Amino acid sequence: MAPVLRVIEPGPLTTVQDLGRYGYQSRGVPVSGVMDPVALRLLNRLVGNPDDAAGLEATLVGPTLVVEAEAEGGVLVALGGAECDATADGMPVPPYRATWLPDGCRLVIGPARAGLRPILAVAGGIDVPVVLGSRSTFLRGAFGGLGGRALAPGDRVPVGVPVDPQGVSGRDGLALPPSARPPLETAVTLRVVLGPQADRFTDDAIETLRREPYRLTPESDRMGARLAGPRLAHRRGADIVSDGTTAGSIQVPESGQPIVLLADRQTTGGYTKIGTVVSADLPRLAQLVPGGEVRFQVVGLAEAYRAAREAEAALDAALARAVRLDGPPPWAASHRLLAHNLISGAVAAGEEP
């Protein structure tokens, strides 16, 4: 029997996500995908997955899951993204570290202490059907993921067969040192390329965008980050003939309050767009908690391309510092011993229970 993760408590919003659904925006299908692709890619590498393997993305509070993997003996997982307390049968699960969870283990991912979205990768990936080239959940369209919806109590989330492209096998994996992990911030400065409708805004609006802080509002979701702050004034109205949007597009409706479009954004929109946040900075916005401060720094296209290259180089540099593990985490030995009745004798800590 292939391993599954049985859902006891799903958390407020936990969905299956990979790196997104590309090639269908011309037909009105959003890209979707994980909000923090840097975290997912790192975690996938730690458990030996390809970068685009599907994982679980939670919001604010993670799920409680039970491993059902009798034939395989367990699953190899890695937890990252938002910082939160997580336990496996009551023992701490370190972040950004491949951790073996045996059959029957109860994984509890608690509330986020820093950041917004905990992400869980599993060796073999989450093995839901591929829809239009992706396993990502698109909630508004009710497709992808597990039935096109968030996880619910009683769900059994299937796990695929590990392919080991990184040479990770069995219970081995990798761990990132703390200094190599993506930072979680309470205030972010996002680089922005002006346009395509920057000419529809007053000079004061452009200057305001450059200088003034905004706050992330609780109304934000996977579709867009809604910001509150100084009004960005239009020269001649907020409406345009609908045109294409992209990840990071900053729409400004008549209210003058900017909205940064994110993973589940609509493919076209009829509001003016004052600029576009560079792709390298979007994962930082994805982990910002409502109330966090957002500032904008206007840059040119050359800087945007450079930022993308530097983000890839930073990911490779982080992985170059990963430490290869050999077998179960340090707590597994005592965990196994405590699971046995030792009155009648002793067992080797490395033995299977």
Side-chain angles (χ1 to χ4, degrees):
M1 180 185 73
V4 300
L5 303 176
R6 179 163 53 88
V7 180
I8 306 301
E9 294 289 342
L13 179 65
T14 301
T15 56
V16 177
Q17 301 292 343
D18 56 21
L19 294 182
R21 182 173 285 109
Y22 289 89
Y24 298 93
Q25 291 185 89
S26 62
R27 305 178 193 181
V29 180
V31 172
S32 298
V34 69
M35 292 280 281
D36 185 351
V38 171
L40 179 62
R41 292 175 67 189
L42 287 172
L43 294 167
N44 271 330
R45 297 280 191 96
L46 297 183
V47 296
N49 286 341
D51 286 2
D52 61 352
L56 296 180
E57 175 190 275
T59 305
L60 291 174
V61 182
T64 296
L65 309 167
V66 172
V67 176
E68 295 182 353
E70 293 180 7
E72 301 298 328
V75 294
L76 190 68
V77 306
L79 176 66
E83 180 182 316
C84 53
D85 290 323
T87 60
D89 282 351
M91 303 300 292
V93 175
Y96 288 100
R97 185 194 197 283
T99 301
W100 177 260
L101 303 182
D103 177 48
C105 182
R106 185 184 184 97
L107 174 65
V108 179
I109 304 173
R113 297 194 309 271
L116 183 64
R117 293 181 167 92
I119 297 170
L120 182 73
V122 186
I126 302 301
D127 193 22
V128 294
V130 175
V131 179
L132 298 178
S134 171
R135 291 181 168 87
S136 287
T137 308
F138 176 43
L139 293 170
R140 285 180 171 84
F143 63 83
L146 198 68
R149 58 172 174 78
L151 300 192
D155 282 342
R156 301 176 78 248
V157 182
V159 176
V161 177
V163 294
D164 298 339
Q166 313 302 324
V168 173
S169 62
R171 302 183 182 197
D172 300 338
L174 303 173
L176 287 183
S179 58
R181 301 168 190 169
L184 297 169
E185 303 161 287
T186 57
V188 297
T189 297
L190 307 177
R191 288 164 288 187
V192 174
V193 176
L194 292 178
Q197 288 98 33
D199 61 325
R200 295 287 298 265
F201 294 84
T202 66
D203 292 342
D204 285 346
I206 300 298
E207 195 61 24
T208 296
L209 184 76
R210 291 176 184 269
R211 293 191 175 185
E212 299 297 327
Y214 288 81
R215 293 286 174 184
L216 184 69
T217 72
E219 291 74 29
S220 302
D221 57 15
R222 283 181 45 85
M223 188 173 181
R226 293 180 175 271
L227 306 179
R231 186 174 184 273
L232 299 176
H234 298 84
R235 290 185 185 275
R236 55 183 189 278
D239 296 333
I240 59 172
V241 176
S242 290
D243 66 0
T245 66
T246 189
S249 291
I250 306 174
Q251 286 190 329
V252 185
E254 191 63 40
S255 67
Q257 300 300 292
I259 304 168
V260 183
L261 301 187
L262 300 174
D264 283 350
R265 65 193 178 276
Q266 70 276 24
T267 57
T268 62
Y271 290 134
T272 47
K273 296 176 287 295
I274 194 170
T276 303
V277 176
V278 304
S279 59
D281 289 349
L282 289 176
R284 299 166 58 212
L285 180 59
Q287 292 293 359
L288 190 67
V289 175
E293 181 181 277
V294 177
R295 288 181 176 269
F296 296 103
Q297 176 189 356
V298 175
V299 299
L301 278 174
E303 172 63 20
Y305 288 131
R306 183 163 53 249
R309 292 192 296 269
E310 289 174 350
E312 285 297 309
L315 187 144
D316 289 339
L319 288 166
R321 298 178 60 195
V323 177
R324 183 165 294 277
L325 306 171
D326 182 15
W331 53 259
S334 60
H335 177 65
R336 283 199 176 98
L337 290 172
L338 292 171
H340 288 73
N341 179 353
L342 299 182
I343 295 176
S344 59
V347 295
E351 288 180 356
E352 290 294 333

